[in-house]
Amino acid sequence: MASLKDRLKRFVFGSPKKIKFGDRYVGLGEPVFVIAEIGLNHNGSFDRAKALIDAAKEAGVDCVKFQMRDIESLYANKGTTNDIKENLTSQYTLDLLSKFQLADEQMFKLFDYAREVGMFPLCTPWDLESLKKLEAYGMHTYKVASADLTNHDLIREIVKTKKPIICSTGMSQESEIIAVNNLLKRLNAKYILLHCNSTYPAPFQDINLQYMSRLGTALYGYSGHERGINIAIAAVARGAKIIEKHITFDRTMEGSDHKASLTPDEFKVMIEGIRQVEASLGTAKKRELTQGEKMNRANLAKSLVATRDIKKGDMITPEMIEVKSPGRGLQPDQKEKLINRKARRSLRQGDFFYLNDLLDKNFEPRSYTFNRPWGIPVRYYDYKELHKFTNPDLLEFHLSYNDLTEDISSHFPKPLAMDLIVHSPETFADDHLLNLASSDEIYWRRSIAELQRVVSITNELKKHFSKANKPLIVVNAGGFTKDKPLSKEERQVLYERIADGLANINQDGVEIIIQTMPPYPWLLGGQLYHNLFLDPDEIAAFCEKYKYRICFDTSHSKLACNTYGWDFSEFTKKILKYTAHLHVVDAKDVNGEGIQVGEGEIDFNELRKNLDSLGITCSFIPEIWQGHENGGEGFWIALERLEKYL
């Protein structure tokens, strides 16, 4: 005879990866579904029940759950509260129910109200009479209480409704869990089991979270009655796709559920933790460097560097290679692959070796043809080499804060017959991140002063560019937070703060344009939350109100679209009329920023159609991350691929 463990394993095979609850899916690839169990914690007050719904909504909960009982049909003694034959706990429960149970019509009004405010209403029928009432109302999903896991008659009737079922498994033996799995599978039910310990509150040592994976379904969840939020968050880390916890305004109120409940503020913190954990889980696919890791690897790791000048065609020997920081070039573990190869290009002492030194094809610059002005991102030290063998209309100087102290004239022995764009530093001395939205007056004033310096430098720079009339200055204006994104109302305050900051800057001779941003910007190599210039409607409103134009970064905005479920083409249409300049680059997922054109998720043909249909002829650069390395190789690849689109 097969063991219980083997029999449980068999249940997993073929079980669904997603279940549809009403108009949303729950399961693999979906956000964790969070249920706030109100139950009897309204203590008989309809208004308190509504207030708990509002509080759950504010906390970020997906679903509010109630319980319905037909006391007379449910209890053997017809619900008599003073029956001396009942034990103490039964008397206590009947007493609470007699005082706190809401009328059926009140319950239905609460379900309607939950829908009105955008919540998912759920109810546990404790008996067949309650199930009939809920069916007549139109409940679209049912919860089976732990106490009814062995009540197969009730479960069969719920299955007949063809509605999804959530079953808690508290106070149940493993054999009983197997039996209900058998029953539900035989009836072809759509269901998910919740691991549960039915003690109020449950001792931590009795919870046994590891048992969730033995519930016998591909999808499972956790219904918690312990104190605090940590166990529920840990359950998400162990694969729970539903989390249920009781909610209350006051744990000292009458009723056993209050003691095992969370307050609305605790619910909010728990949900923030859940969202952070589920974001961190990722997949079991191959390990790939994140954008932040790539940035820090470039700064902190080591590379293979030429110890002497090497001519193209020279045989590379061990003596020609050394390991030095930073990690911009070929990693040290590739040294043996370089040795005894002929150099594919000439290198000077101190030059980095790159991956292309191990390949058979070089990407060299050439003349390119586009239907709009174009350029390349450059620094003072590399602009001469990067534009020498190609034909850009402009150069976009990406300034560091150290560049602001450079003698500009020393870098430009003769004027250039090109236009000029400047990208302001994001970080200034002493780790000062430019933030025109800061509420700290001193910090805000310094950000204004630093950007004013950039304006002055730009006006000096344009003297060396014969086609520069009113250079654009690309600015990341700020508005980031460390812990979580801001609400729409909070964002509006920051937009006004940025406008006030810009109004304090003398912009004569230049035009400041604000760059569209990703939700998770990489500033100083670590991730923050960005809040402003993500939403296309907010961008358009800002530009209309304050008469500014933007730099449309396709990678940043695609990441925003991926994060918030927006259509990138529609996003593009909304903001192109305010676009003065484009940073064209690909993107992937929610933080795959600066990816080579054609290697991410952007439809560049659709971008071309939108540009053409609106008659947008603004300038652009290929903003490939580390595209300047190896003689600008990343830029030349991007420009070659973009010729058919722009």
Side-chain angles (χ1 to χ4, degrees), residues 142-167:
Y142 290 106
K143 170 74 192 296
V144 174
S146 292
D148 276 317
L149 194 76
T150 59
N151 188 351
H152 290 191
D153 288 344
L154 176 61
I155 291 173
R156 284 191 186 92
E157 291 303 312
I158 295 176
V159 172
K160 287 179 183 177
T161 70
K162 301 187 183 303
K163 309 290 177 60
I165 308 171
I166 304 169
C167 298

Side-chain angles (χ1 to χ4, degrees), residues 34-38 222-229 231-232 243-247 260-262 267 270:
V34 181
I35 301 171
E37 163 79 83
I38 293 176
Y222 177 66
S223 178
H225 301 113
E226 72 288 335
R227 292 183 176 93
I229 66 174
I231 307 305
I243 292 295
E244 180 185 47
K245 292 278 286 184
H246 287 258
I247 188 169
S261 299
L262 300 178
F267 245 101
M270 181 186 75

Side-chain angles (χ1 to χ4, degrees), residues 432-448 477-481 486 490 493-498 500-501 532:
H432 180 92
L433 286 172
L434 186 74
N435 189 4
L436 297 176
S438 177
S439 59
D440 182 317
E441 188 72 15
I442 295 175
Y443 197 101
W444 184 67
R445 290 289 175 188
R446 180 176 173 189
S447 292
I448 292 170
F480 44 82
T481 47
L486 299 178
E490 291 170 316
V493 173
L494 298 193
Y495 279 117
E496 293 173 10
R497 185 69 165 166
I498 284 177
D500 289 344
L532 309 184

Side-chain angles (χ1 to χ4, degrees), residues 37 65 67 69 124-126 143-152 154-155 166-173 176-177 180 193-200 222-225 244 246:
E37 163 79 83
K65 189 178 86 68
Q67 302 173 10
R69 295 170 175 84
T124 294
W126 279 74
K143 170 74 192 296
V144 174
S146 292
D148 276 317
L149 194 76
T150 59
N151 188 351
H152 290 191
L154 176 61
I155 291 173
I166 304 169
C167 298
S168 282
T169 59
M171 65 180 85
S172 299
Q173 305 281 355
E176 294 166 341
I177 296 172
V180 80
L193 299 185
L194 306 186
H195 179 58
C196 180
N197 182 286
S198 295
T199 315
Y200 300 80
Y222 177 66
S223 178
H225 301 113
E244 180 185 47
H246 287 258

Side-chain angles (χ1 to χ4, degrees), residues 290-307:
T290 65
Q291 188 66 13
E293 285 184 309
K294 289 177 182 177
M295 293 175 70
N296 283 329
R297 175 163 157 151
N299 293 332
L300 302 174
K302 296 180 174 65
S303 302
L304 298 178
V305 175
T307 62

Side-chain angles (χ1 to χ4, degrees), residues 362-582:
N362 268 340
F363 287 91
E364 301 289 348
R366 60 172 174 80
S367 292
Y368 302 93
T369 302
F370 294 100
N371 295 321
R372 65 195 69 251
W374 68 276
I376 49 176
V378 295
R379 297 285 305 282
Y380 288 151
Y381 74 88
D382 65 7
Y383 83 89
K384 295 175 186 175
E385 290 298 320
L386 287 179
H387 88 276
K388 185 164 53 176
F389 299 108
T390 184
N391 60 325
D393 300 294
L394 61 93
L395 296 178
E396 181 176 313
F397 280 84
H398 286 221
L399 301 181
S400 72
Y401 67 82
N402 284 328
D403 290 341
L404 302 183
T405 63
E406 287 284 309
D407 176 8
I408 295 176
S409 61
S410 68
H411 294 287
F412 298 93
K414 60 180 181 179
L416 298 173
M418 283 188 259
D419 201 353
L420 166 71
I421 294 177
V422 167
H423 195 306
S424 171
E426 297 168 348
T427 305
F428 294 83
D430 306 317
D431 287 348
H432 180 92
L433 286 172
L434 186 74
N435 189 4
L436 297 176
S438 177
S439 59
D440 182 317
E441 188 72 15
I442 295 175
Y443 197 101
W444 184 67
R445 290 289 175 188
R446 180 176 173 189
S447 292
I448 292 170
E450 297 289 9
L451 188 52
Q452 187 68 70
R453 289 176 65 203
V454 175
V455 171
S456 298
I457 294 295
T458 303
N459 276 318
E460 286 297 314
L461 262 174
K462 78 176 182 181
K463 297 175 183 177
H464 303 277
F465 289 80
S466 62
K467 295 185 178 181
N469 178 32
K470 194 172 186 179
L472 303 174
I473 300 178
V474 179
V475 174
N476 294 343
F480 44 82
T481 47
K482 293 181 180 179
D483 300 319
K484 60 183 178 181
L486 299 178
S487 68
K488 184 173 183 178
E489 293 73 20
E490 291 170 316
R491 294 197 299 271
Q492 293 310 309
V493 173
L494 298 193
Y495 279 117
E496 293 173 10
R497 185 69 165 166
I498 284 177
D500 289 344
L502 291 170
N504 278 273
I505 296 171
N506 181 347
Q507 301 177 38
D508 289 347
V510 303
E511 180 184 355
I512 291 176
I513 59 174
I514 301 176
Q515 187 169 211
T516 63
M517 295 302 293
Y520 311 110
W522 298 104
L523 302 172
L524 294 177
Q527 196 175 78
L528 299 172
Y529 295 92
H530 221 294
N531 300 283
L532 309 184
F533 300 97
L534 282 78
D535 185 300
D537 294 321
E538 292 180 5
I539 293 169
F542 181 91
C543 292
E544 287 284 350
K545 182 174 183 179
Y546 298 109
K547 309 305 177 188
Y548 277 90
R549 295 195 294 170
I550 60 166
C551 171
F552 177 17
D553 187 298
T554 60
S555 182
H556 291 175
S557 295
K558 175 61 175 173
L559 297 179
C561 290
N562 288 350
T563 300
Y564 298 112
W566 301 328
D567 181 85
F568 182 67
S569 180
E570 292 304 312
F571 182 108
T572 301
K573 292 174 185 176
K574 289 181 178 181
I575 69 167
L576 274 181
K577 66 179 288 189
Y578 307 106
T579 300
H581 181 55
L582 287 162

Side-chain angles (χ1 to χ4, degrees), residues 133-402:
K133 295 173 185 176
L134 292 169
E135 267 298 284
Y137 166 77
M139 187 60 59
H140 41 54
T141 303
Y142 290 106
K143 170 74 192 296
V144 174
S146 292
D148 276 317
L149 194 76
T150 59
N151 188 351
H152 290 191
D153 288 344
L154 176 61
I155 291 173
R156 284 191 186 92
E157 291 303 312
I158 295 176
V159 172
K160 287 179 183 177
T161 70
K162 301 187 183 303
K163 309 290 177 60
I165 308 171
I166 304 169
C167 298
S168 282
T169 59
M171 65 180 85
S172 299
Q173 305 281 355
E174 185 169 89
S175 59
E176 294 166 341
I177 296 172
I178 291 173
V180 80
N181 254 318
N182 272 326
L183 173 66
L184 291 166
K185 289 181 72 67
R186 189 166 61 249
L187 296 175
N188 199 30
K190 296 172 288 186
Y191 71 101
I192 182 169
L193 299 185
L194 306 186
H195 179 58
C196 180
N197 182 286
S198 295
T199 315
Y200 300 80
F204 298 132
Q205 63 270 22
D206 292 347
I207 290 171
N208 191 17
L209 271 186
Q210 295 193 73
Y211 190 80
M212 280 194 306
S213 59
R214 285 173 54 84
L215 284 175
T217 54
L219 297 179
Y220 50 81
Y222 177 66
S223 178
H225 301 113
E226 72 288 335
R227 292 183 176 93
I229 66 174
N230 294 335
I231 307 305
I233 294 173
V236 172
R238 294 196 65 84
K241 300 306 295 183
I242 293 178
I243 292 295
E244 180 185 47
K245 292 278 286 184
H246 287 258
I247 188 169
T248 185
F249 287 127
D250 183 356
R251 275 191 286 269
T252 67
M253 292 178 70
E254 183 182 5
S256 58
D257 287 353
H258 289 288
K259 299 177 181 63
S261 299
L262 300 178
T263 64
D265 286 344
E266 290 167 334
F267 245 101
K268 189 171 185 177
V269 174
M270 181 186 75
I271 291 172
E272 288 172 358
I274 286 172
R275 299 306 176 213
Q276 290 170 8
V277 167
E278 67 182 351
S280 75
L281 290 175
T283 68
K285 296 178 181 177
K286 69 177 184 178
R287 173 92 159 70
E288 293 183 353
L289 292 179
T290 65
Q291 188 66 13
E293 285 184 309
K294 289 177 182 177
M295 293 175 70
N296 283 329
R297 175 163 157 151
N299 293 332
L300 302 174
K302 296 180 174 65
S303 302
L304 298 178
V305 175
T307 62
R308 65 189 72 172
D309 291 350
I310 302 172
K311 294 179 181 178
K312 183 177 180 179
D314 285 353
M315 187 69 68
I316 300 173
T317 63
E319 295 77 20
M320 297 177 178
I321 309 169
E322 61 182 346
V323 176
K324 295 284 186 182
S325 284
R328 289 159 44 194
L330 200 61
Q331 292 290 294
D333 64 348
Q334 302 298 300
K335 182 177 180 179
E336 295 301 319
K337 296 179 182 178
L338 274 177
I339 295 172
N340 295 328
R341 290 182 66 94
K342 288 185 177 180
R344 301 181 62 251
R345 60 190 176 96
S346 295
L347 293 92
R348 291 171 294 194
Q349 181 181 354
D351 280 354
F352 292 96
F353 289 96
Y354 292 100
L355 178 61
N356 264 7
D357 292 307
L358 298 176
L359 303 178
D360 296 326
K361 181 181 179 182
N362 268 340
F363 287 91
E364 301 289 348
R366 60 172 174 80
S367 292
Y368 302 93
T369 302
F370 294 100
N371 295 321
R372 65 195 69 251
W374 68 276
I376 49 176
V378 295
R379 297 285 305 282
Y380 288 151
Y381 74 88
D382 65 7
Y383 83 89
K384 295 175 186 175
E385 290 298 320
L386 287 179
H387 88 276
K388 185 164 53 176
F389 299 108
T390 184
N391 60 325
D393 300 294
L394 61 93
L395 296 178
E396 181 176 313
F397 280 84
H398 286 221
L399 301 181
S400 72
Y401 67 82
N402 284 328

